[in-house]
Amino acid sequence: AATAPRIPSTRLALHHFDTSYSLHLGALWPSVRAGLLCEQKYGALLNNFAAADHVPPELELLNATDFVSEAFQKAQQWQQSAAVGEATRGCQESSGEGRTVMQAEGMTQAEMSLPLCTSISSKIKCYTFPRGDITRFRPARPDALGLLEYYLMDAASLLPVLALNVQPDDFVLDLCAAPGGKTLALLQTGFCGHLAANDASVSRTKRLYKILHSYVPKEVRDCVSVTSYDGRDWDQVEGGTFHKVLVDVPCTTDRHSAMEEDNNIFHKRRTKERQMLPMLQLQLLMAGILAAKPGGEVVYSTCSLSPLQNECVVE
């Protein structure tokens, strides 16, 4: 009777989110909250290394579509319409012979001011069901060589890989790689001249090895170095050598924290660990920057809505 009732970690997490995110997101928070508490929506990342030409037609029959190519098409349409709008404004400001020049300049300015469509790799294909449809994909099957035909992942987890915009022969570092979905997606681009996949957790690194063996042929695996260093010390291992660095840091993993008791970072025993997350994230981001070549690119990502773990770390 003298023992205080145990409060579930998920309830503590949701209380924390209600307190902080409602201030940060305002009127958007109720819909975002509902999204956090909904069942997770998966995407099927096609494995380009498997003999799986039959898979896209099968998935399309189930009403699934490749959201990457859809985004590419929408970006092109947006780019074209914006360019036309800019050109039209240029035409209204000019007349006679000057009109052709203004139109050409207007289109160039519009195209330069828009995100490059090339940032979305045409080699990556990830199928999802329509908005509001959380139908589960069937388990992936192996091809004749034993490679699985697709990898099921949270569709949003693909966005940092697309943002990294890997180019042919880039040396790429995935600093916090396990369990391996983003590492696999980076390999799907076919562009990595060399890929270093690191994770401080030895047990999580074993899961990464398992994914590579299930999806990637040996000749490609030979171009991947898997390590278990503390990512904060990476510059002492191999600093200033990578064209692209992905820093997908440990975070409060908001959906997991709100839905799952197992391994929940809001457990009272993990309070100090949770409070130290922004410092850990900052140290990992600094290590990622130091790992990049001069002029290289770094993508920092979390699966948290917390400004302390996102904007504040980057600032």
Side-chain angles (χ1 to χ4, degrees), residues 121-180:
S121 172
S122 60
K123 292 180 177 290
I124 293 182
K125 297 188 182 302
C126 187
Y127 281 80
T128 57
F129 290 106
R131 185 185 179 104
D133 183 347
I134 54 172
T135 302
R136 292 299 195 208
F137 290 93
R138 62 166 174 77
R141 295 187 289 247
D143 68 359
L145 297 176
L147 299 177
L148 295 175
E149 56 198 10
Y150 53 71
Y151 177 77
L152 296 180
M153 65 191 301
D154 188 309
S157 295
L158 199 56
L159 300 180
V161 174
L162 296 174
L164 199 59
N165 191 22
V166 178
Q167 298 299 303
D169 300 322
D170 273 352
F171 274 46
V172 182
L173 169 62
D174 188 353
L175 192 61
C176 308

Side-chain angles (χ1 to χ4, degrees), residues 35-36 39-45 67-68 124 126-129 137 151-164 181-182 185 246 248 255 299-305:
L36 270 183
E39 202 168 343
Q40 191 169 6
K41 187 179 179 78
Y42 282 93
L45 174 68
F67 86 82
V68 181
I124 293 182
C126 187
Y127 281 80
T128 57
F129 290 106
F137 290 93
Y151 177 77
L152 296 180
M153 65 191 301
D154 188 309
S157 295
L158 199 56
L159 300 180
V161 174
L162 296 174
L164 199 59
K182 295 181 182 68
L246 176 60
D248 184 59
R255 182 192 292 277
V299 168
Y300 171 84
S301 64
T302 76
C303 44
S304 169
L305 296 165

